Amino acid sequence: MTISKTKGTLLHHLGEVKGSKRRFENAFQGVARMILEDEISKVVVNAKTTYDFKIFRKEKKHVIGMYDEINSFVSFVKDAAEGGSSKEMAFVLVGEPGNGKTFFVEYLCSRYREFLSLPQNRKYTFRLVGMDKLGSYGRISTIESQSYEDPLILAMNLFEDPEANRRFLAEHGGFTDGEIETLYQNYRPLGACSSYMWNDVRTYTDGKIEDMLGFVDVIPVPMAESLGTVTGKYAAKDKITSSAVDLLGEESIQRLLHITDTNNPYRFDLRRGALSRVAGGGIHFSDEIYKNKKDLVQVYLGVIQNRLIEIDGYKWPIDTLIIATSNNSEFNRFLAEKEEAPIVDRCRICYVSHNTNYRMQKELTAYAIGSETKTTLMKEDLHQDPNLNYAASTAVILSRLPRSEKLTPVETMKLAAGEVAGEKSIKTLAEVIDTLNQDPDITKRFGQKGLGQRNLGRMIQLMVENSETNEGRCMYAYDVFTSVERVILDYVSDANDRAKYLDDLKVAKGLYRERIMTEMFNAYMDEPMAIRKDVLNYVNMIVGIDAENLGPDRMWKYKDPQSGELKALKIDERYIRSIENRLGLKTEEQCESFRTSIRKIYGQKISVNPNYDFMDNLELVKAVTDVRLKSDIAGAGSLIGALANRTNEENQKIYDRMIDTMLNKLGYCRTCAQKTIEYFCTQEDEG
């Protein structure tokens, strides 16, 4: 018997799969391959080594942080791809509103669509043509597989005898016994309508396989996002308008006008529902799954466990990765209803925390501020204070960090960003996190409660609509704290949370004060990195103070780890002592203990990162800044005195020179430069 192998036929498709030009894999295998074929690196997060999958960090607006959540998702998909129990579960992301759950799933779906649009990864399905010849289909001539079944699923169900199907794949597809076994790991029966129609074709052709295959066209699955094929989203609707039809489909009146056989399952239009459109190796995203009414959640129960669309006893097997999201309050309400336990039992729950790394938060804050150039109401360009991002980031991050007896809020914030926090080590943070994560109340766990990304967006909106912002044509950093306070008072309903967030706001203002001290010193020295040089000078002095090759002139020669050049540095013990006094180190033992800790950090960090500059050691930076700022300047008691009292010419010159440096070297505009100097001259937020 001769069966056509021209393009678009089933045999041509089998040849392409055999030649590895096309793939036959399930949804889990496809997603796992997409993630694992990309670059993977190791990172340390909160004292634990974990993996960073680069596919989630690619686009201009990509997923930031979420290391534990992404690792959970990848292991879930990998387990399902290898035939584990995960293939009978849904992956549910549960967390506070505005912490990136929906963005993560939509980003994953976009990457998956891009991945499947590559020719070698393309999904294919089949349609039956010439069906009007059969007589019982009226004027319907072409019928696509409603659940986008793969042509290989048809090939495995061509004959009623399973052995005949295997023989066909071996003889006409050229597959070996081992390859056929591999293909059959993803075997599923044809859906009700495809099976029924294929039987009609068999009857019409008297079972001649070459004539039967003449009815089959192999076509690529449409990839348009707007069609909801391959990746589809179902958002929870209100109780009245939602029904199982939105997921499964319903009987189609138009089809009943053509189909004379009342038993034909093709009378059901599955594409009316969201599931069949992603049934051919796609991703179904159920947003706020537990907000759905009970009967719809019961539908999910069957779909998740059995991977079937079932209507009136007819069944359509589906191959779908099901991902859902839910916020904490809806999930807790659902858990309280004990009779709903079976659905939760079929879900892999992943609790999504807020981002707690303030360095990473800078990117998220940049998303909230927006990439476009902002303008005032009068269409004039709106400048951004260079400290705005830092001020907003620290304000929201501190609200997300739970209180602990072992660590202060600033120590927790710095350790969570992988920075130095005085004597406290990263192990202390790991202990705090482990203790908090034992709490059965999810909201008390590390990073689970705080001001989210939407609240951050509101802060920026409130700031932009402020008349001072528009008049001064600048988003001045200190104004963000007023917006944070407004958001806390207006949008945080719990009194305890409100009180905590307002306390955190005071800490954020203190951090901002310290940053401004550093900025002022840099402006005074007419150098953007002046404070960094002085910090490194102190570090190099205490490393070289005991050097054997130190001459009577106290000059120490050392190799700069950053540039590799040989440098000379004069050891100034008076400078060292004054910094240590600022740090509150009174005795010789205290000073020596502090120096030893700095040398230890120097030894550990410089070998790994030669560009490490100790600027994350806030206490040391503050002490160096204070020593340099509080020393006599131009006859005034301090820089604050000089800037506050500009009646004499010398002080006015210092002020003008600093404004000039801030405008031309540090990224300020005249408004935020003047306001920052004014703030510096007040005693606000000291200590």
Side-chain angles (χ1 to χ4, degrees):
M1 85 183 149
T2 55
I3 302 172
S4 171
K5 291 189 178 182
T6 54
K7 196 172 180 182
T9 60
L10 182 64
L11 254 57
H12 175 259
H13 179 77
L14 294 180
E16 296 286 276
V17 173
K18 169 70 180 169
S20 301
K21 291 178 184 171
R22 292 180 188 175
R23 284 185 178 269
F24 175 59
E25 59 189 359
N26 63 37
F28 301 107
Q29 289 166 339
V31 174
R33 188 165 63 84
M34 171 185 79
I35 296 169
L36 300 174
E37 277 182 359
D38 216 305
E39 193 186 338
I40 304 167
S41 62
K42 281 187 184 180
V43 289
V44 177
V45 180
N46 297 335
K48 290 181 180 173
T49 303
T50 187
Y51 296 96
D52 188 16
F53 300 90
K54 295 299 178 190
I55 190 161
F56 295 103
R57 319 286 181 203
K58 283 194 163 173
E59 298 300 301
K60 191 177 176 186
K61 190 172 180 181
H62 55 80
V63 178
I64 291 167
M66 295 182 85
Y67 294 104
D68 292 343
E69 293 82 357
I70 290 172
N71 272 269
S72 291
F73 173 71
V74 173
S75 64
F76 170 85
V77 171
K78 187 171 174 292
D79 177 61
E82 291 164 356
S85 59
S86 303
K87 70 178 191 294
E88 292 180 3
M89 289 183 178
F91 190 80
V92 184
L93 297 157
V94 177
E96 290 281 289
N99 66 0
K101 302 181 295 294
T102 302
F103 177 77
F104 166 71
V105 182
E106 288 179 344
Y107 182 88
L108 172 77
C109 291
S110 298
R111 298 293 74 74
Y112 190 52
R113 268 197 310 279
E114 283 174 16
F115 178 73
L116 293 185
S117 62
L118 298 172
Q120 67 272 24
N121 299 327
R122 197 86 214 206
K123 291 279 180 194
Y124 287 85
T125 185
F126 63 89
R127 64 184 175 199
L128 299 176
V129 294
M131 295 300 284
D132 48 344
K133 296 178 197 166
L134 273 62
S136 60
Y137 290 86
R139 295 171 70 181
I140 302 174
S141 63
T142 303
I143 300 176
E144 264 184 32
S145 163
Q146 291 206 84
S147 53
Y148 291 115
E149 293 155 311
D150 194 281
L152 260 153
I153 295 295
L154 176 65
M156 293 180 196
N157 291 280
L158 286 175
F159 306 98
E160 289 168 333
D161 175 16
E163 284 307 311
N165 293 321
R166 287 172 181 266
R167 280 198 303 275
F168 180 86
L169 287 170
E171 288 169 19
H172 297 283
F175 294 101
T176 63
D177 288 351
E179 288 168 336
I180 290 170
E181 282 307 315
T182 306
L183 293 175
Y184 265 83
Q185 285 172 7
N186 284 327
Y187 169 80
R188 62 182 196 271
L190 282 172
C193 56
S194 303
S195 181
Y196 193 93
M197 292 184 292
W198 189 241
N199 204 42
D200 280 353
V201 169
R202 183 182 288 114
T203 306
Y204 179 76
T205 57
D206 290 332
K208 292 176 185 168
I209 190 66
E210 58 271 30
D211 293 345
M212 289 169 73
L213 290 176
F215 281 82
V216 179
D217 262 2
V218 172
I219 53 169
V221 173
M223 294 296 297
E225 183 183 357
S226 52
L227 293 174
T229 54
V230 179
T231 61
K233 178 177 176 180
Y234 179 74
K237 297 191 181 80
D238 67 84
K239 301 279 190 282
I240 298 165
T241 56
S242 64
S243 72
V245 169
D246 299 333
L247 287 176
L248 306 177
E250 64 178 343
E251 204 163 52
S252 164
I253 302 297
Q254 290 96 321
R255 287 182 188 174
L256 284 170
L257 295 173
H258 292 274
I259 297 168
T260 53
D261 183 354
T262 51
N263 293 322
N264 194 331
Y266 185 62
R267 70 179 190 273
F268 294 105
D269 181 6
L270 262 58
R271 301 265 178 96
R272 161 82 174 76
L275 284 169
S276 74
R277 283 174 267 165
V278 294
I283 299 174
H284 174 71
F285 171 27
S286 177
D287 204 5
E288 293 294 352
I289 187 169
Y290 300 119
K291 258 199 183 125
N292 287 306
K293 58 184 181 182
K294 281 186 184 176
D295 60 335
L296 218 58
V297 175
Q298 295 296 338
V299 168
Y300 271 118
L301 192 69
V303 169
I304 292 167
Q305 173 80 37
N306 305 318
R307 291 295 194 275
L308 283 176
I309 294 173
E310 190 168 344
I311 308 177
D312 291 0
Y314 294 112
K315 294 174 184 175
W316 287 264
I318 62 171
D319 165 28
T320 308
L321 164 59
I322 299 171
I323 309 180
T325 61
S326 175
N327 69 57
N328 281 332
S329 56
E330 283 293 336
F331 181 62
N332 290 334
R333 184 189 59 73
F334 196 81
L335 281 183
E337 298 174 19
K338 293 284 189 277
E339 70 272 15
E340 299 299 336
I343 179 76
V344 179
D345 192 46
R346 285 168 173 76
C347 297
R348 164 77 167 82
I349 308 293
C350 175
Y351 295 105
V352 183
S353 67
H354 288 290
N355 171 48
T356 53
N357 182 326
Y358 85 94
R359 286 180 173 272
M360 286 183 184
Q361 182 62 36
K362 287 178 184 175
E363 287 185 73
L364 288 167
T365 304
Y367 287 169
I369 294 169
S371 54
E372 300 296 315
T373 307
K374 291 220 176 300
T375 56
T376 66
L377 296 172
M378 310 306 287
K379 295 290 178 198
E380 297 163 309
D381 279 356
L382 192 59
H383 177 259
Q384 277 177 38
D385 185 329
N387 301 307
L388 171 65
N389 193 308
Y390 176 80
S393 297
T394 50
V396 292
I397 287 291
L398 285 163
S399 75
R400 299 168 186 174
L401 303 173
R403 289 275 189 269
S404 159
E405 291 168 7
K406 292 183 180 178
L407 295 167
T408 67
V410 175
E411 285 171 341
T412 310
M413 183 183 93
K414 296 194 75 54
L415 289 170
E419 292 182 355
V420 175
E423 294 291 303
K424 301 289 170 61
S425 74
I426 191 78
K427 285 200 174 80
T428 314
L429 177 67
E431 286 167 18
V432 168
I433 292 172
D434 284 343
T435 308
L436 288 165
N437 287 351
Q438 301 300 318
D439 199 315
D441 181 355
I442 304 305
T443 57
K444 290 195 173 82
R445 294 184 187 177
F446 189 77
Q448 284 288 344
K449 191 178 259 193
L451 296 171
Q453 192 70 1
R454 289 196 192 106
N455 282 327
L456 179 57
R458 286 187 194 104
M459 292 166 204
I460 304 299
Q461 289 161 23
L462 287 170
M463 201 176 164
V464 173
E465 72 187 37
N466 186 355
S467 59
E468 281 185 31
T469 303
N470 282 281
E471 287 299 311
R473 288 182 292 173
C474 176
M475 295 167 77
Y476 169 51
Y478 196 74
D479 288 346
V480 84
F481 296 125
T482 312
S483 301
V484 173
E485 193 170 1
R486 189 75 266 145
V487 166
I488 292 169
L489 295 171
D490 290 355
Y491 292 94
V492 179
S493 52
D494 188 281
N496 293 330
D497 291 345
R498 235 189 347 259
K500 178 194 176 289
Y501 298 167
L502 290 169
D503 284 345
D504 294 329
L505 185 57
K506 288 176 191 163
V507 179
K509 286 180 179 178
L511 288 170
Y512 175 72
R513 176 88 202 172
E514 287 173 19
R515 186 179 175 100
I516 294 308
M517 301 278 277
T518 306
E519 289 283 300
M520 289 298 101
F521 180 67
N522 290 342
Y524 174 71
M525 297 298 288
D526 192 22
E527 168 135 24
M529 303 304 279
I531 198 74
R532 180 175 177 273
K533 281 187 178 174
D534 282 335
V535 169
L536 285 174
N537 277 347
Y538 169 78
V539 172
N540 286 322
M541 281 180 198
I542 65 162
V543 170
I545 199 166
D546 300 326
E548 293 171 8
N549 59 348
L550 206 61
D553 59 353
R554 311 297 285 161
M555 291 297 286
W556 178 55
K557 286 193 170 69
Y558 70 99
K559 190 177 182 183
D560 183 4
Q562 292 168 354
S563 62
E565 295 171 12
L566 204 63
K567 289 191 174 180
L569 176 71
K570 186 175 177 66
I571 307 289
D572 182 351
E573 293 199 31
R574 203 162 57 88
Y575 175 60
I576 293 172
R577 287 298 311 166
S578 54
I579 286 171
E580 287 165 358
N581 284 337
R582 280 277 168 195
L583 286 161
L585 309 171
K586 302 288 184 242
T587 66
E588 202 59 49
E589 288 79 20
Q590 286 176 324
C591 291
E592 199 46 53
S593 170
F594 178 73
R595 290 178 194 181
T596 305
S597 71
I598 291 290
R599 289 177 192 132
K600 185 180 169 189
I601 293 166
Y602 183 90
Q604 289 171 342
K605 296 270 189 180
I606 296 291
S607 58
V608 181
N609 176 16
N611 294 318
Y612 179 66
D613 57 9
F614 286 85
M615 290 301 286
D616 59 0
N617 194 326
L618 279 189
E619 292 78 13
L620 179 58
V621 173
K622 187 176 187 301
V624 173
T625 309
D626 286 350
V627 167
R628 294 304 303 262
L629 283 179
K630 302 284 162 71
S631 55
D632 273 0
I633 294 172
S638 65
L639 181 57
I640 288 178
L643 294 172
N645 176 22
R646 301 200 297 277
T647 49
N648 73 46
E649 200 178 329
E650 201 59 42
N651 289 356
Q652 186 62 43
K653 276 184 183 172
I654 291 174
Y655 180 83
D656 291 342
R657 183 169 60 77
M658 284 179 66
I659 289 278
D660 187 60
T661 302
M662 291 170 84
L663 295 182
N664 298 318
K665 292 187 180 177
L666 300 178
Y668 289 79
C669 72
R670 191 158 290 281
T671 303
C672 58
Q674 288 172 347
K675 282 187 172 183
T676 304
I677 289 178
E678 274 173 42
Y679 170 76
F680 173 66
C681 292
T682 68
Q683 297 301 302
E684 269 186 85
D685 310 314
E686 277 282 7

